[in-house]
Amino acid sequence: MAFRFHLSQYLMRRAADWKLKGFNETLADWAALNARSKFWGDDQRAAFKNWEEVADPRNPLDGRQGVNERIMLRELLRRVDMMVILENKLDALVRLHTPWPPGLIGHPHQYDIPSNLAPESLSGPNAGLTEVLIPAGYVTTVYDPVFSLAADGRRYVSTPSATPTTIPEPGLPFSLVFRAEPGKEDILLNIASAYEAASKRRIPPPDFGPLPV
């Protein structure tokens, strides 16, 4: 629900910034955004209209995704991570951020999951634990999913594709995630920076200039 609040803040502040430069930006709220947007289907139009009509971005206290439930979920996820780390005498957890490249705008996301992020990718943020993402390499060939008509003939669903798409060098970056228990950010930074220095996987943008050694 925070998306409703943050996008409203962005639109208002964006309009205010343009006003300081002498321009009158009328795209300053959800109603204006929806009135000036083009949608690829009624489902997306309805979703954005629902966002516009939200009066209070907070979920009910004792309802689904309420503040108290989120606190309990955060504590549960945090204890799971700490149990794995402590029982196995680990300094940190390391994993791939996501095995899939970013989805094409307006195209289907990966099949069988709600987005192009694996569910574990959300564990650290939901647990309130510090994570560090470090470039781990680049992908130059991807297989973007495609829309196919569902078996019931009433909707389109995401399905895998065997058609490769070649991406110019260096390609799309992917990252490793380093996560430690609360209060061990110093260890986390040491491990992540050591990997970054040793792997040399980070490639600066052409106009960024060389990185200091």
Side-chain angles (χ1 to χ4, degrees):
M1 294 294 285
F3 177 65
R4 170 66 169 83
F5 170 79
H6 289 303
L7 188 56
S8 296
Q9 291 291 306
Y10 166 73
L11 293 175
M12 288 189 294
R13 295 176 183 181
R14 175 178 175 274
D17 288 343
W18 278 116
K19 186 175 182 180
L20 291 175
K21 296 181 179 295
F23 297 93
N24 181 28
E25 174 56 80
T26 58
L27 180 54
D29 54 32
W30 272 93
L33 174 66
N34 286 340
R36 292 168 56 175
S37 295
K38 293 182 178 179
F39 302 99
W40 63 67
D42 289 336
D43 55 342
Q44 188 194 36
R45 183 180 293 105
F48 271 68
K49 190 64 178 178
N50 288 340
W51 283 118
E52 176 188 337
E53 295 177 355
V54 170
D56 188 343
R58 298 170 298 179
N59 290 312
L61 182 61
D62 293 316
R64 187 72 176 92
Q65 297 291 318
V67 174
N68 52 346
E69 182 185 86
R70 296 299 303 178
I71 291 175
M72 290 188 287
L73 175 62
R74 182 184 65 184
E75 186 65 22
L76 172 63
L77 293 175
R78 183 177 296 179
R79 291 188 182 196
V80 169
D81 263 25
M82 293 178 64
M83 180 184 69
V84 173
I85 291 173
L86 296 176
E87 289 186 353
N88 293 279
K89 298 180 173 60
L90 304 175
D91 290 319
L93 300 176
V94 184
R95 62 171 180 80
L96 184 65
H97 179 232
T98 176
W100 298 288
L104 294 173
I105 296 176
H107 289 245
H109 54 70
Q110 293 292 331
Y111 43 93
D112 297 331
I113 60 171
S115 67
N116 276 30
L117 289 175
E120 210 282 325
S121 299
L122 309 176
S123 180
N126 283 327
L129 295 171
T130 302
E131 291 186 337
V132 177
L133 275 69
I134 301 297
Y138 295 84
V139 174
T140 55
T141 302
V142 298
Y143 295 85
D144 295 305
V146 295
F147 282 120
S148 295
L149 190 63
D152 59 11
R154 301 177 61 183
R155 59 195 174 95
Y156 284 91
V157 295
S158 175
T159 54
S161 169
T163 303
T165 298
T166 302
I167 301 171
E169 294 289 344
L172 287 173
F174 64 91
S175 302
L176 288 180
V177 176
F178 298 80
R179 188 166 75 231
E181 60 181 300
K184 295 298 180 68
E185 283 79 7
D186 58 330
I187 294 177
L188 191 63
L189 290 171
N190 284 334
I191 296 173
S193 61
Y195 170 80
E196 184 173 33
S199 66
K200 295 180 170 49
R201 297 289 173 81
R202 187 184 188 280
I203 299 177
D207 297 330
F208 191 82
L211 293 174
V213 179

